[in-house]
Structures are given as C-alpha cells and as structure tokens.
Amino acid sequence: MKHFIDISDVSAGEILELIELAFELKEKQRAGIGYTPLSGKVLAMIFSKSSTRTRASFEAGMYQLGGYPMVLNAADLQIGRGEPICDTARVLSRYADGIMIRTYDHEDVLGLARFGTIPVINGLSDDSHPCQVLADLMTVKEYKGRLKGVKLAYVGDGNNVANTLLQACPKVGVDIAVATPARYACDEKYVSQARAEAASTGASVTICTDPAKAVAGADVVYTDTWVSMGMEADGDERVPHFKGYEVDAALMSLAQKDAIFLHCLPAYRGMEVSDEVIEGPASVVFEEAENRLHSQKAVMAKLMG
Ligand code: CP
Ligand code: NVA
C-alpha cells in the first residue's frame, strides 16, 4: 500500500489489517500508552472544502503519533491562484512525509500521487471518502463482532460515501443494499466494481430505489446528507426527490432489532435522518466519528511509519 486514495486499490487483507491496528491504537489511547512511530515526520493537509472530523482527527492523530500536522487551506495556497497540482505535489514532497487532501476533483488527489514522491491520503473528494468508510467498517466490526455476512443498508444520495461503501463492503464480505432515488443513483462504475468484488467473496449487492426493501433485515442502516459539499446551489432542486428517504423510526423498525445506525456526519435532522433515530439507542454515530481518529492513525502509521 503506497497511498490511501480509493478502497478499490486496497486489498481485503490490508483493510482488515488496518482495522486490527486501529483497534490496538484505540486500546493504547484509552490506556494512556503513548505510541510515536512518526516522530519527526510531517503530514501536509490540504483543505479545499470544510471539515470538522477529518481535520480534527488527522491533526490530533498525527500529533499523537509523534509527528507534525501542517494544515494548509487551499484558499491560502498558490493552488487557489492557479498553481498546478503537479508542481504543488513536487514541492510538498520536499517538505513533508505524507499529504492528506480534501478536495472537489478526484483528479487532484490522483495528481498529487502521480507527481509527488510521498504517500497521499484522500480525505474526501467528490468521488470517494475512503477514510470515512474504513472507520465505518471498524465500527461495524466493533458492534457486530464480524464483517462477513453483516447486511448494511445505505439509504439516500448516491454520493462519495455511497460509492466508497460499494467499493468496500463486498470486498470484506459485507452484504450491501443501496436505495437512492433513480436520478441520484451511484455511478455505474461503482456498482460494477461492487458486483465484481461480490462475485469473488460471495457477498450480495442490491441496488434499488425502495428504502424499505434495502433496510429489511439490515444489521446496519447508513445515511448521509442529500446535499454534499459543492452541491449547495442545487440543494432546493434536489431535496424534493428524497421524499420518503428519511431514516426515521418507521424505517428503522424494518431492520434487525439490534441494528445500528451510522452516519458519517454532519447530519441534517428532519432531512436524511430523524432526530429520534440519530439520538436513539441504535445510533452509534459518535463512536463512528471517534473511530476516524484510530483508523486514520493506522493508515498514517502504515504509510508513513
Ligand atoms: N465525516 C466527515 O468527513 O466529516 P467532516 O466533513 O467534518 O470532516
Ligand atoms: N457526502 C458528504 C460527506 C461529508 C463528510 C459531502 O461530500 O459533503
């Protein structure tokens, strides 16, 4: 593993190893045992979009691993004035030991990896959000004790998070059902990747437009905002198409009795999730958010250690 850009580039074995390491780091953290394999190392973090969890967890995580997190807002960088990614990549490679980028165009992430000489971590692009989904799988393992054979239902927009769940779930044997409005379905590329992985692991992939069908019997119910970053201008047009896609108590009642509710956050109550569900007993969204820290520390330790 040279970079962490898309789950499709990471093997099932590597995902499971990262999750195991993340659990070890979580225990260490709880026990107050220091672990500083990145002492003297620098992570450059480029943000072209807002962030609470990604920024705070990478910054805290890099510090805890003994390194220095260098936060660079894209608006303050020369990127904002037109300096190309190929030059930015080669310059940052001379100062830092790794780059994390949150951006719009997935090509920017790929460009940093192509032109730079240090590991690149995708902290979210319009296409995918691998750090999120690694933490999600860790959370599923934590609450369900296994991944293989777990059924995960994703309800809502076919966005970067949904794309990445499609890349990841079948790979590790999680059955996935995705329900989106037809016009906001996941790109066919991710559906075929999911079906190809499922063919070799025996996992199932269901793509539909009916939230009730996706959620029936699910162990994990997942949703995300209907208006992702960069789509704000279309928000008013998009939202009416999601009528019936709110994860509320009635929808949750179709899942397994011990089902958990996941959301990458930020959440919009009364839109994609009801207040009752996100604040209810099935919701483990803050544990999920905490697991961003531990799983990303595992990624950084593996790539930069
Ligand atoms: N889930 C997530 O990536 O959150 P932020 O946008 O706050 O980083
Ligand atoms: N799909 C959301 C995820 C935010 C963490 C977005 O891209 O805005």
Side-chain angles (χ1 to χ4, degrees), residues 38 40-45 59 62-63 66-71 304:
L38 300 188
K41 304 225 165 163
V42 174
L43 177 73
M45 301 164 57
E59 197 165 341
M62 188 59 186
Y63 175 76
Y68 176 72
M70 183 164 67
V71 178
M304 299 163 63

Side-chain angles (χ1 to χ4, degrees), residues 14 54 117 125 132 134 161 182 205 215 218 220:
E14 285 167 329
T54 304
T117 53
S125 72
Q132 180 63 51
L134 184 65
V161 170
V205 176
V215 170
V220 181

Side-chain angles (χ1 to χ4, degrees), residues 102 124 129 159-161 224-225 228-229 264-266:
R102 164 165 289 198
L124 180 149
H129 198 0
N159 62 16
N160 43 9
V161 170
D224 183 18
T225 181
S228 283
M229 289 179 278
C264 60
L265 305 179

Side-chain angles (χ1 to χ4, degrees), residues 46-95:
I46 303 175
F47 285 95
S48 303
K49 287 179 174 176
S50 307
S51 171
T52 296
R53 280 142 290 270
T54 304
R55 167 157 180 186
S57 57
F58 266 106
E59 197 165 341
M62 188 59 186
Y63 175 76
Q64 290 166 7
L65 291 171
Y68 176 72
M70 183 164 67
V71 178
L72 305 165
N73 287 315
D76 304 330
L77 295 177
Q78 298 288 7
I79 289 180
R81 296 180 57 250
E83 184 169 22
I85 280 288
C86 58
D87 292 357
T88 307
R90 284 174 286 184
V91 170
L92 291 179
S93 293
R94 309 255 170 167
Y95 309 142

Side-chain angles (χ1 to χ4, degrees), residues 49-294:
K49 287 179 174 176
S50 307
S51 171
T52 296
R53 280 142 290 270
T54 304
R55 167 157 180 186
S57 57
F58 266 106
E59 197 165 341
M62 188 59 186
Y63 175 76
Q64 290 166 7
L65 291 171
Y68 176 72
M70 183 164 67
V71 178
L72 305 165
N73 287 315
D76 304 330
L77 295 177
Q78 298 288 7
I79 289 180
R81 296 180 57 250
E83 184 169 22
I85 280 288
C86 58
D87 292 357
T88 307
R90 284 174 286 184
V91 170
L92 291 179
S93 293
R94 309 255 170 167
Y95 309 142
D97 303 281
I99 306 178
M100 197 275 338
I101 180 168
R102 164 165 289 198
T103 190
Y104 295 87
D105 191 348
H106 195 68
E107 270 305 313
D108 289 349
V109 189
L110 297 173
L112 285 177
R114 199 175 314 127
F115 295 101
T117 53
I118 55 178
V120 173
I121 300 172
N122 175 7
L124 180 149
S125 72
D126 286 346
D127 293 11
S128 59
H129 198 0
C131 293
Q132 180 63 51
V133 170
L134 184 65
D136 299 337
L137 292 179
M138 177 184 179
T139 311
V140 171
K141 181 86 199 289
E142 194 165 25
Y143 281 87
K144 296 292 152 197
R146 66 192 206 286
L147 291 174
K148 212 168 173 50
V150 168
K151 182 182 172 190
L152 181 145
Y154 176 91
V155 175
D157 184 26
N159 62 16
N160 43 9
V161 170
N163 292 341
T164 314
L165 286 167
L166 277 173
Q167 290 179 324
C169 289
K171 198 169 246 205
V172 294
V174 171
D175 297 326
I176 182 167
V178 175
T180 66
R183 79 185 262 172
Y184 297 117
C186 290
D187 194 284
E188 189 44 43
K189 172 180 132 186
Y190 298 98
V191 177
S192 358
Q193 277 180 6
R195 293 206 198 283
E197 287 290 350
S200 63
T201 63
S204 72
V205 176
T206 306
I207 306 294
C208 63
T209 55
D210 180 3
K213 180 179 170 192
V215 170
D219 302 297
V220 181
V221 180
Y222 198 126
T223 190
D224 183 18
T225 181
W226 296 333
V227 185
S228 283
M229 289 179 278
M231 295 176 179
E232 291 82 358
D234 298 336
D236 290 347
E237 204 217 305
R238 296 173 65 86
V239 169
H241 294 276
F242 290 92
K243 194 169 184 299
Y245 284 80
E246 182 185 18
V247 177
D248 57 12
L251 190 59
M252 277 305 283
S253 75
L254 305 176
Q256 297 288 348
K257 290 248 162 328
D258 62 350
I260 55 169
F261 171 75
L262 296 182
H263 191 310
C264 60
L265 305 179
Y268 300 90
R269 290 160 170 81
M271 302 286 269
E272 76 274 6
V273 62
S274 70
D275 187 64
E276 189 183 4
V277 167
I278 198 165
E279 298 295 346
S283 174
V284 295
V285 298
F286 297 109
E287 200 68 43
E288 179 188 11
E290 180 187 326
N291 286 340
R292 293 288 305 276
L293 172 70
H294 309 300

